């Protein structure tokens, strides 16, 4: 018979990998913000710059925060399971809300400009990704 399972040990280099992933994520968010600020005129909700909210929200929500939500169970191995589950869920909720704001921004922009919605492969793939992200949250 086997004894009680001992908690799995994290690889020794895990803190460095996590720090590197966080650094890369923050660089991507900062570069997207800089690109929008310097080359696209910035972001605003009630102006022609409303469309620029979309890429920033998608990067923050679906890339950075969702990635952090996935890392929670690896990073906080020695914390209480309930704590890690709550943190994992909160990060997913924040990611969903921010991505939803980005999605609303692009639809509102299209409505204000009189553009058709869902006219490109990019838009259909984006809707599919968002729907799968939402379905994954519902299944958990």
């Amino acid at each position: 018979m086997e004894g009680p399972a001992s908690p799995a040990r994290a690889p020794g280099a895990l803190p460095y990998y996590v720090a590197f992933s966080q650094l890369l994520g923050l660089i991507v968010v900062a570069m997207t913000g800089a690109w929008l600020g310097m080359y696209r005129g910035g972001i605003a909700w009630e102006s022609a710059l409303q469309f620029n909210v979309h890429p920033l929200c998608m990067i923050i929500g679906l890339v950075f925060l969702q990635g952090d939500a996935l890392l929670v169970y690896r990073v906080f191995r020695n914390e209480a399971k309930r704590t890690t589950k709550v943190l994992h869920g909160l990060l997913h909720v924040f990611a969903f809300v921010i991505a939803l704001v980005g999605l609303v921004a692009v639809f509102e922009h299209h409505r204000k400009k009189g553009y058709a919605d869902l006219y490109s492969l990019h838009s259909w793939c984006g809707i599919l990704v968002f729907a799968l992200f939402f379905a994954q949250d519902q299944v958990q």
Side-chain angles (χ1 to χ4, degrees):
M1 296 201 146
E2 294 182 25
S6 62
R9 288 190 48 229
L14 183 64
Y16 300 109
Y17 293 143
V18 171
F20 184 65
S21 73
Q22 293 302 296
L23 180 64
L24 282 179
L26 291 173
I27 287 172
V28 168
V29 170
M31 286 178 63
T32 303
W35 167 66
L36 291 170
M38 288 191 285
Y39 299 107
R40 303 274 307 187
I43 62 171
W45 192 262
E46 292 295 330
S47 75
L49 300 174
Q50 183 178 14
F51 183 80
N52 293 350
V53 173
H54 173 72
L56 188 62
C57 284
M58 292 302 164
I59 291 293
I60 293 171
L62 293 179
V63 176
F64 188 69
L65 289 178
Q66 186 179 9
D68 281 352
L70 298 174
L71 282 173
V72 163
Y73 288 112
R74 294 287 178 205
V75 172
F76 299 111
R77 286 176 180 242
N78 297 326
E79 299 299 322
K81 184 77 164 181
R82 182 174 177 87
T83 304
T84 54
K85 286 178 103 172
V86 167
L87 181 58
H88 175 78
L90 282 175
L91 285 171
H92 271 295
V93 167
F94 289 147
F96 178 78
V97 169
I98 290 173
L100 184 62
V101 168
L103 200 62
V104 168
V106 77
F107 277 106
E108 284 287 313
H109 174 76
H110 284 181
R111 185 186 57 78
K112 287 177 184 175
K113 294 286 186 176
Y115 299 154
D117 291 323
L118 304 174
Y119 61 89
S120 68
L121 180 61
H122 173 88
S123 59
W124 282 102
C125 288
I127 290 294
L128 178 64
V129 165
F130 189 79
L132 289 172
F133 178 65
F134 181 70
Q136 175 188 359
D137 279 350
Q138 296 306 306
V139 169
Q140 291 179 0

